[in-house]
Amino acid sequence: MATSSNEELLQAHAELWSLTFSYLKSMALECAIKLGTPNAIHRRGGAVSLPDLLAAIPVPESKKPYLPRLMRFLVASGIFAADADGSAAPTYRLTPLSRLLVDDGTAAAAGAADLRSVDLSPFVLSQTNRYHVTAATHLSEWFESDAAAEMPFRTAHGADPWMVFAHDPKINMVFNAGMAADTRFAMSFVLSNYGDAFDGVTSLVDVAGGTGTAARAIANAFPRIKCSVLDLPNVIDSVPADGVVEYVAGDMMSSIPKADAMFLKYVLHDWNDEDCVRILRECRKAILKPGGKVIIVDMVVGSPSNNAAYEAQVLFDLLMMVITAGKERDEREWTKIFMDAGFSHHKTRPVLGSVALIELYP
Ligand SMILES: C[S@@+](CC[C@H](N)C(=O)[O-])C[C@H]1O[C@@H](n2cnc3c(N)ncnc32)[C@H](O)[C@@H]1O
Ligand SMILES: O=c1cc(-c2ccc(O)cc2)oc2c(O)c(O)ccc12
């Protein structure tokens, strides 16, 4: 009994340390990406000795002695693997996780065609940017305050992310590149597994579609579909015409261009229930013909397959609390919103983790 409580105490202490230092995990991952480590290993055939890695990574001589310590942590977290012979000069290898961080030059060209060619390192960098991290450090201050600020991001920066990013072109680029990478990953799954959701659709509006990554993927997969992207003027003004989709500046709260299908990806999770109902009513009004629908790609909080998936799900909801006024919803909460917006029925299918594809019918 005494041994067991000692074991429990030691385990609890180790877990507490791990949690306490968790912010270093994000920063070490960011550092590995910024130093180009996954690409350096990939370019050398997926395995690299320490001397070769030291030669490949752009750090001055004075910092090279520190690299094995960074790598040791990254191996301990499963980001890379290392030969377990305990030698002073290990060989580092990619793992399935770090394979997701490799830019082999095919990601953008592959469009939404191939899940394995998607590089998610821009997504990581979009989430470890200083605005997001600083916002998270304001969480307790935000909880303790009765002020009207809607989220810690605003407590920290005095404005919501879209305003802040609009005034910082460098971070705007980092954030947009990250969201585009995430979109390519999700859309490659949707288009290769659930292409039937677009059967019979000849025109589609990507509502609040950002810089149009999803709409371009749909237009490339289904050239018969005339795709448009609706977003705020400051977003649309920054997107160069591409001849593939049409870009329309506007406000989804007041008017949405008409089409067979409305597509909303990671839009509704930014808004409270009342605003979601308002947006979906506008979508319903914009559906051109009988048989038209709204297609939603968003998180459905549900029964995750394992602990890591559950933690990712609730972390994502925390992110929404820190950065936006939105939330992640379960099937029951979604159903209420759909009914309040006047839709008759819907069909939900899983995409990646807790992300789902929802088809919504008037
Ligand atoms: C989280 S992003 C999602 C972008 C895109 N759907 C995606 O999956 O990457 C939310 C988008 O909503 C846009 N947005 C916010 N308010 C809007 C409004 N009233 N009308 C149209 N777009 C809006 C933002 O500019 C931003 O591009
Ligand atoms: O910083 C974010 C990140 C997301 C996000 C991340 C991963 C996904 O698979 C989907 C979305 O969404 C955001 C968002 O909707 C927002 O309004 C601000 C920031 C972020």
Side-chain angles (χ1 to χ4, degrees):
M1 180 67 189
T3 317
S4 151
S5 1
N6 260 347
E7 267 170 22
E8 270 175 25
L9 187 68
L10 288 175
Q11 178 65 25
H13 184 245
E15 284 171 17
L16 180 67
W17 274 40
S18 180
L19 265 176
T20 304
F21 300 131
S22 273
Y23 67 96
L24 288 169
K25 295 186 185 179
S26 304
M27 294 303 120
L29 175 62
E30 180 194 71
C31 178
I33 292 170
K34 286 188 169 170
L35 294 179
T37 321
N39 288 337
I41 302 178
H42 175 70
R43 273 192 230 109
R44 283 153 192 81
V48 68
S49 66
L50 178 61
D52 284 351
L53 184 64
L54 285 170
I57 295 293
V59 293
E61 280 303 315
S62 61
K63 296 290 159 51
K64 291 193 171 172
Y66 296 91
L67 193 68
R69 289 163 63 189
L70 175 67
M71 292 304 291
R72 180 173 60 181
F73 169 74
L74 296 168
V75 169
S77 335
I79 295 167
F80 299 116
D83 286 351
D85 65 359
S87 70
T91 295
Y92 300 109
R93 296 179 195 282
L94 293 175
T95 61
L97 191 158
S98 41
R99 189 63 194 77
L100 291 174
L101 303 172
V102 168
D103 174 9
D104 60 10
T106 61
D114 186 359
L115 261 181
R116 284 156 306 184
S117 65
V118 178
D119 168 21
L120 287 177
S121 48
F123 175 70
V124 175
L125 300 184
S126 75
Q127 298 304 301
T128 54
N129 80 75
R130 67 189 172 85
Y131 291 105
H132 274 48
V133 174
T134 306
T137 66
H138 283 70
L139 188 56
S140 59
E141 184 189 331
W142 172 79
F143 260 111
E144 285 159 7
S145 153
D146 205 15
E150 282 168 1
M151 59 281 204
F153 193 98
R154 196 174 284 163
T155 314
H157 305 299
D160 70 27
W162 312 118
M163 304 268 206
V164 170
F165 297 164
H167 287 98
D168 185 338
K170 211 171 141 198
I171 203 67
N172 200 31
M173 263 177 57
V174 169
F175 188 77
N176 287 340
M179 296 305 289
D182 185 67
T183 296
R184 280 193 291 272
F185 196 61
M187 288 310 292
S188 59
F189 188 96
V190 167
L191 293 169
S192 44
N193 292 287
Y194 302 143
D196 60 291
F198 301 89
D199 284 354
V201 174
T202 60
S203 57
L204 172 146
V205 178
D206 186 358
V207 179
T211 52
T213 311
R216 281 193 300 277
I218 296 168
N220 285 330
F222 303 110
R224 66 159 199 284
I225 304 182
K226 180 183 171 293
C227 293
S228 315
V229 174
L230 172 76
D231 209 294
L232 295 171
N234 67 309
V235 175
I236 295 299
D237 291 349
S238 71
V239 189
D242 54 31
V244 180
V245 302
E246 190 190 347
Y247 294 90
V248 182
D251 178 1
M252 65 184 163
M253 294 292 185
S254 50
S255 173
I256 297 176
K258 294 206 178 309
D260 293 346
M262 303 293 132
F263 181 82
L264 296 112
K265 186 171 79 61
Y266 303 142
V267 175
L268 298 174
H269 76 169
D270 279 356
W271 301 89
N272 64 32
D273 292 0
E274 206 184 358
D275 287 328
C276 285
V277 170
R278 203 169 142 198
I279 295 164
L280 288 175
R281 280 198 182 130
E282 287 303 324
C283 287
R284 203 166 153 264
K285 276 198 256 167
I287 293 174
L288 259 181
K289 61 178 189 199
K293 58 174 136 172
V294 177
I295 303 170
I296 297 171
V297 175
D298 221 318
M299 184 90 82
V300 177
V301 178
S303 21
S305 49
N306 57 50
N307 260 353
Y310 179 66
E311 195 180 31
Q313 211 171 75
V314 292
L315 270 174
F316 202 96
D317 184 53
L318 263 192
L319 173 75
M320 287 299 106
M321 192 164 91
V322 168
I323 309 283
T324 75
K327 63 187 277 202
E328 302 308 345
R329 299 176 168 88
D330 60 24
E331 182 72 36
R332 194 184 45 83
E333 293 170 302
W334 279 120
T335 303
K336 175 159 184 357
I337 288 172
F338 300 155
M339 286 172 67
D340 290 351
F343 289 87
S344 67
H345 62 290
H346 69 277
K347 177 166 119 189
T348 304
R349 290 184 278 179
V351 176
L352 292 161
S354 37
V355 176
L357 179 83
I358 307 171
E359 287 157 82
L360 192 51
Y361 300 92

